[in-house]
Structure formats: structure tokens, C-alpha cells
Amino acid sequence: SRVKLAHVSDQASGLEVDRLDQAAVDAGFAVFDRRQGGVPPPDAEPAVDQLSAVQHLGSAGLPPYVDFAVFGPHAVRIQRKMRLQGLVMAPSGGLMRSEMVGPPSFSIWQSCWVVFTTCMIMLKLGSPAAMQAYRDHTGARAC
């Protein structure tokens, strides 16, 4: 079966990719266990569709990227879009209120990052240390 990237990892994408089979998912969990010394906690465990989307990026040689407006923990429940209101510059030079899709807080961003990190480790696309360093760097800037 196929996974629509717009529903899982990039809401602007029109691509569909192959869903990973159970053997590939099991292999990913085995890699995570070897690299992290256990299975991911429930809040960090990716859905098969999420893992399939990240695997597609890795196999295509594309930079790993997911859209946290549609990618995060509990993927089955996150089908709704998270929204954030803010001010943006209008063409006239003034400010206007705009609703932007994405995590509404850094705390929610972190919960999405944890799932992405799990995918990256399972698929051998990123090291645990590199993923943690990026999170720490981003967290320092957000606070």
C-alpha cells in the first residue's frame, strides 16, 4: 500500500511512497534497540507511515525534513493540524494577524522532534548524538 506524504510528513507534497513492510519496521526497531539500549517509549514511537516517509527521504538522498504541522507523536490522533497565530508583515508595510500551521509551542515542537529522532535512529540516517545536539541548539534559541 501507499503513503501520502501530505498526510504524514509534508503537507505541500503531492507524492505517494511505498509503505514499509513489517520486516523493515522490525529491523528499524532492532537498530534502535542496538543503538539506544531499548525500545522507544510510546510517545517517541513513530507510526509505520511516518517511518515510511522518512525512509523515502533517506533513500532519495534528500535532506531529512518533516513538517511538524502533520508529523508528531500519536500520528493517528494528530491528523488535525496544530495552529499558531502571529503577526506578519502585510504588503502595505503594516502588521496583520495570520494563522500559521505548525506546533503552537516549543514543548510540542520537542514532542514532534522526539518522534523524528526515533525515525532517524531506526533508519540509520542520523546519530543519537547529532539529533540531541540539534535539539539542544534549537531549544537554546527558542527559550
Side-chain angles (χ1 to χ4, degrees), residues 14-93:
L15 293 177
E16 290 186 16
V17 300
D18 290 329
R19 182 174 284 116
L20 293 176
D21 61 23
Q22 191 60 49
V25 173
D26 292 345
F29 276 99
V31 167
F32 189 92
D33 185 25
R34 280 192 305 277
R35 295 177 90 184
Q36 295 293 100
V39 297
D43 286 348
E45 187 175 321
V48 174
D49 288 0
Q50 291 173 316
L51 200 58
S52 300
V54 175
Q55 189 276 335
H56 166 74
L57 292 171
S59 67
L62 300 171
Y65 163 81
V66 294
D67 180 349
F68 286 167
V70 293
F71 186 100
H74 313 293
V76 175
R77 290 186 271 157
I78 203 171
Q79 292 302 316
R80 62 170 172 64
K81 293 183 178 164
M82 296 178 277
R83 297 197 180 271
L84 170 71
Q85 286 195 357
L87 298 174
V88 295
M89 188 71 68
S92 65

Side-chain angles (χ1 to χ4, degrees), residues 5 16 21 27 40 52 63 72 103 119 122-123:
L5 295 186
E16 290 186 16
D21 61 23
S52 300
C119 289
M122 288 174 74
L123 298 167

Side-chain angles (χ1 to χ4, degrees), residues 110-130:
Q110 284 182 305
S111 66
C112 296
W113 182 256
V114 169
V115 177
F116 181 61
T117 295
T118 301
C119 289
M120 295 291 285
I121 293 168
M122 288 174 74
L123 298 167
K124 300 183 196 177
L125 295 174
S127 73

